[in-house]
Structures are given as structure tokens and as C-alpha cells.
């Protein structure tokens, strides 16, 4: 595929920077950094345009914190101006990256997402007899900067876009490895690197049944032996070409009749069940929203939106009795919400 040039004027266009600021502030307009930028949107966008065009712009100091959801992760919150730059860059690069990606890749892309990935996985479970579940070990933390930049350069020819990408990538991690989990650009760059694995699996190994959402993937076949061979080939490709490793304890080779663990669900041929750990986290999030509402920290519209979001997510699995119990509990005319799906 030919590399794409002429992208820089679109990245630094005034309209693109204004739009990027509005997208970066979505749901965060009251946060101090976003509020300061938006109150003088046009002057700030012009100043950022001058800084980018002159080559003087550099990423600011990020704020890091840790979450447990369910495993411990370090999240990096970039300054708001940096997030505007990430959005401006990816609003232009995203469609370029998307064009080279295979149908079975579902992260970051418009019209894709976790629920589409889950539907595709469900169809594959029904079609094939065996699956190989894979997970890249500490994907964001161990991404090699040189590999990321080499991969971007395979797709993009524009020198100034490559220079800006390098400034963003080199800011993250330590020792030439790692990109911040919280950045939009990091998600796209990681997805692009793993796109190389997608093409290897589909075009070199000849695996027809495949699904990937970021660093979680599954390969499917009607026999165990092809997947055993594919496992060794994928492991070698990741180590040699992408300088990544598989998480050994998360690798599962099993019949599809046992159910595929994928994106917080266990997918069987006839049903899709929410995994217990994800059910507990969903309950905790909903309870926290209700507590915030009772304490007057959020209004009725926000708690209603959270409840709708939870129920919409649950509809993608076999959770009818769970949703009925929770609905009765929320309406105050039933027993406490059930603990299992």
C-alpha cells in the first residue's frame, strides 16, 4: 500500500484544531484545563496553530495515577492542550490508518467497538470447534518507540506529521518503551502496530477465523493442531518484528464448547454470559452513580444516562433475568439486585 503524504496542512488547519478542542473537552468541559482553553477557543487555537507550524510545540508535563479495573494500571492524563493536539493529529491520521486495517480489527475505529467485536466473536464460536485466546503482555507499557515510529512511517510519508508523531511517542514511557494508556494517540498507535500482526495471521498463516480488540485476540479453527502451530508463529512474530510478548497465563487453547472468555464475557454457542468479575465491577459502578445522585453530586439526567448505558451494555449478553431484577430494585418494588447473571 502506498504511503500517504500532504497531511500536515489538514492537521494544523484552524478548523481542525477548534474541532479537536471540542472533541477533547467532550464530557470534561468543567475541568479546569478544558474550561480555560474553551473560554478563549479561537485565540487559543490560533496560538496552538502557530506553535505547531513553527515546530516549537512540545508535549507538556502529564499527570499520572493508578487504577484497579480489575488489574492495576497506570493512567497518564496529558495536559488539555496536548489532548487537543492528539485529537487534531488522529482526526487526520485515523482514517489513513483505518483504510489498511482488516475487517476483524475492532478497536478505535468508527462503526466498530466492543459490542461489534463481541458479535463477531459469537459468530466464530458458533462456526468453529476450537479457539486460541491470546493477550499481549503489558502492551502499552512495553511498546517499543522505534517499532511504533517505523510502523507509522510505513503508512505516512508526510515529514512534519512523522516529526510530530515522534515528539508524542518519545514523551511516553522510559528507556525507549511505553506509550501512555490514557492518550488517544497511544490507542491508535498501538492498534496500528498490532495491525501488522493481523495481516500476518490472516495473510501469512492463513487463519480465517479471527477477531481482535486492541491487545485481546482469538484465532479459530476446526482442529487443535493448526492453532497450536499458529500460537508458535504468532509468538515468534511478536518477538521478532514487534518486540512484544504474549501473556502466558492468559493463553487458552480449548474447544469452543467450553466458552470463549472475551472482553469481559464468556461466549458460548448458544449464550453469552457476563463474567463474575465484570458483573461485580458493573454493580459497583452503578452503585457509585446512585450514591453520587443521593449525595447531590450529580443530577438526575446523569444518573439516568449511566443506568441506560449499563443496561444497553448488558443487552449484548444473556442477561434478561439480571436486568429485570436490577430494574425492579431501581424502581423500589423488588428485592435487591441479583448477584449473578
Amino acid at each position: 500500500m502506498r504511503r500517504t503524504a500532504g497531511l500536515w496542512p489538514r492537521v494544523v488547519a484552524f478548523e481542525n484544531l477548534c474541532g479537536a478542542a471540542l472533541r477533547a473537552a467532550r464530557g470534561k468541559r468543567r475541568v479546569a484545563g478544558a474550561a480555560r482553553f474553551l473560554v478563549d477557543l479561537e485565540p487559543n487555537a490560533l496560538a496552538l496553530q502557530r506553535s505547531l507550524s513553527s515546530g516549537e510545540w512540545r508535549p507538556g508535563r502529564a499527570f499520572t495515577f493508578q487504577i484497579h479495573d480489575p488489574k492495576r494500571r497506570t493512567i497518564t492524563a496529558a495536559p488539555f492542550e496536548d489532548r487537543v493536539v492528539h485529537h487534531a493529529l488522529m482526526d487526520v491520521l485515523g482514517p489513513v490508518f483505518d483504510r489498511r486495517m482488516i475487517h476483524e480489527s475492532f478497536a478505535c475505529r468508527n462503526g466498530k467497538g466492543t459490542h461489534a467485536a463481541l458479535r463477531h466473536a459469537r459468530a466464530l464460536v458458533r462456526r468453529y470447534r476450537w479457539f486460541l485466546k491470546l493477550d499481549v503482555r503489558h502492551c502499552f507499557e512495553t511498546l517499543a518507540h522505534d517499532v511504533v515510529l517505523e510502523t507509522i512511517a510505513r503508512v505516512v510519508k508526510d515529514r512534519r506529521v512523522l516529526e510530530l508523531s515522534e515528539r508524542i511517542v518519545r514523551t511516553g514511557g522510559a528507556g525507549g518503551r511505553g506509550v501512555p494508556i490514557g492518550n488517544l494517540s497511544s490507542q491508535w498507535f498501538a492498534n496500528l502496530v498490532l495491525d501488522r500482526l493481523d495481516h500476518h495471521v490472516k495473510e501469512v498463516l492463513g487463519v480465517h477465523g479471527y477477531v481482535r480488540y486492541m491487545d485481546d485476540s482469538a484465532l479459530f479453527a476446526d482442529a487443535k493442531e493448526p492453532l497450536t502451530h499458529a500460537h508458535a508463529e504468532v509468538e515468534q512474530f511478536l518477538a521478532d518484528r514487534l518486540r512484544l510478548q504474549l501473556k502466558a497465563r492468559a493463553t487458552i487453547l480449548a474447544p469452543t464448547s467450553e466458552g470463549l472468555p472475551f472482553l469481559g464475557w464468556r461466549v458460548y454457542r448458544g449464550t453469552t454470559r457476563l463474567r463474575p468479575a465484570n458483573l461485580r465491577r458493573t454493580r459497583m459502578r452503578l452503585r457509585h452513580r446512585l450514591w453520587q445522585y443521593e449525595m447531590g453530586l450529580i443530577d438526575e439526567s446523569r444518573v439516568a444516562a449511566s443506568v441506560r448505558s449499563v443496561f444497553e451494555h448488558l443487552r449484548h449478553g444473556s442477561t434478561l433475568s439480571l436486568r429485570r431484577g436490577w430494574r425492579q430494585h431501581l424502581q423500589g418494588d423488588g428485592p435487591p439486585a441479583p448477584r449473578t447473571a
Side-chain angles (χ1 to χ4, degrees):
M1 183 178 290
R2 295 179 62 183
R3 296 192 299 160
T4 304
L7 300 173
W8 181 250
R10 293 167 54 195
V11 172
V12 297
F14 175 73
E15 296 79 5
N16 186 44
L17 293 173
C18 288
L22 295 175
R23 286 184 285 277
R26 194 171 294 157
K28 302 175 183 178
R29 285 175 173 262
R30 297 182 181 180
V31 177
R36 282 196 300 269
F37 196 98
L38 293 183
V39 73
D40 291 312
L41 175 59
E42 294 188 357
N44 286 330
L46 285 170
L48 181 56
Q49 183 186 51
R50 288 193 296 269
S51 179
L52 288 166
S53 298
S54 67
E56 296 175 355
W57 182 85
R58 295 293 184 276
R61 178 175 295 181
F63 171 71
T64 60
F65 58 96
Q66 293 186 336
I67 62 170
H68 296 78
D69 189 30
K71 54 190 175 183
R72 186 174 179 178
R73 294 179 183 271
T74 299
I75 304 296
T76 299
F80 184 75
E81 183 181 278
D82 287 21
R83 297 203 297 274
V84 174
V85 173
H86 299 164
H87 275 268
L89 179 64
M90 297 320 308
D91 287 345
V92 174
L93 283 187
V96 176
F97 293 171
D98 185 84
R99 285 196 293 270
R100 66 158 289 116
M101 293 181 175
I102 66 171
H103 169 73
E104 296 89 343
S105 170
F106 289 88
C108 300
R109 307 167 69 189
N110 288 334
K112 299 283 187 174
T114 56
H115 295 148
L118 189 65
R119 287 193 298 271
H120 185 68
R122 187 183 297 125
L124 293 173
V125 165
R126 291 171 178 168
R127 179 178 176 183
Y128 292 96
R129 294 176 55 201
W130 286 83
F131 71 83
L132 172 64
K133 173 68 171 60
L134 303 174
D135 187 356
V136 177
R137 180 178 179 272
H138 300 310
C139 179
F140 285 86
E141 296 94 324
T142 62
L143 268 178
H145 295 171
D146 289 345
V147 172
V148 176
L149 297 171
E150 174 206 340
T151 304
I152 299 171
R154 286 168 169 247
V155 183
V156 176
K157 191 176 181 180
D158 194 306
R159 177 183 61 82
R160 300 203 67 179
V161 169
L162 292 174
E163 289 174 352
L164 177 60
S165 300
E166 181 167 11
R167 287 194 202 107
I168 293 171
V169 169
R170 298 286 188 197
T171 301
R177 283 184 176 268
V179 293
I181 292 178
N183 289 351
L184 174 66
S185 56
S186 298
Q187 296 170 34
W188 268 108
F189 292 160
N191 203 25
L192 184 69
V193 168
L194 291 175
D195 171 73
R196 294 171 64 177
L197 173 64
D198 297 343
H199 287 277
H200 183 74
V201 169
K202 296 286 293 183
E203 297 160 12
V204 178
L205 302 184
V207 175
H208 297 293
Y210 183 66
V211 61
R212 181 178 66 81
Y213 186 90
M214 200 53 76
D215 53 351
D216 285 341
S217 60
L219 290 68
F220 296 81
D222 282 324
K224 183 178 180 179
E225 291 73 19
L227 295 180
T228 302
H229 172 72
H231 179 206
E233 291 289 327
V234 167
E235 201 164 35
Q236 193 69 42
F237 181 85
L238 286 172
D240 292 349
R241 302 288 185 87
L242 307 185
R243 292 161 61 184
L244 294 169
Q245 295 179 332
L246 290 176
K247 188 186 299 180
R249 62 183 177 84
T251 299
I252 304 171
L253 176 59
T256 51
S257 58
E258 293 185 8
L260 166 71
F262 190 60
L263 300 180
W265 300 82
R266 187 169 287 273
V267 183
Y268 298 91
R269 288 177 179 171
T271 187
T272 304
R273 299 198 176 278
L274 195 63
R275 298 176 72 185
N278 290 77
L279 176 59
R280 287 193 296 271
R281 288 201 299 278
T282 302
R283 287 171 58 88
M284 288 176 60
R285 287 170 184 157
L286 190 53
R287 284 175 172 170
H288 181 65
R289 279 302 197 193
L290 293 172
W291 174 83
Q292 288 180 310
Y293 174 65
E294 291 169 359
M295 295 294 104
L297 300 176
I298 60 175
D299 59 21
E300 185 175 348
S301 64
R302 289 189 65 186
V303 73
S306 295
V307 171
R308 283 195 301 271
S309 176
V310 167
F311 275 71
E312 181 59 32
H313 177 64
L314 293 176
R315 284 193 186 93
H316 289 269
S318 307
T319 60
L320 181 59
S321 62
L322 175 69
R323 284 181 279 128
R324 282 176 174 171
W326 283 15
R327 186 175 290 109
Q328 289 176 355
H329 176 63
L330 290 169
Q331 292 171 346
D333 37 328
R339 294 184 177 275
T340 59

